[in-house]
Amino acid sequence: MKAIVDKDTCISCGLCPSICPDVFEFDDDGKATAIVDEVPSEMEDTAQEAADSCPVSAISVE
């Protein structure tokens, strides 16, 4: 499973790193980014929760 953040859509609200800090953090540009190439299996549900919680739907988890 892979998490992808659309930086053009991201509004830096902070929900994704607060929900799933093992997968998301803010980059130097102030936008969220996925910090893992593959979401660990034990974090898949939490990563999906972060994606579902994004107010602008900037995150896809595939």
Side-chain angles (χ1 to χ4, degrees):
M1 176 175 266
K2 186 171 184 109
I4 302 164
V5 178
D6 180 348
K7 290 186 173 246
D8 291 331
T9 304
C10 177
I11 59 170
S12 305
C13 73
L15 280 175
C16 58
S18 69
I19 292 170
C20 192
D22 293 328
V23 175
F24 302 101
E25 70 179 14
F26 285 119
D27 210 347
D28 292 337
D29 62 2
K31 303 287 183 153
T33 189
I35 56 173
V36 295
D37 290 329
E38 290 289 324
V39 177
S41 59
E42 66 273 10
M43 299 302 306
E44 288 179 357
D45 289 342
T46 311
Q48 186 62 57
E49 179 185 347
D52 293 343
S53 299
C54 180
V56 293
S57 301
I59 302 169
S60 60
V61 180
E62 305 168 349

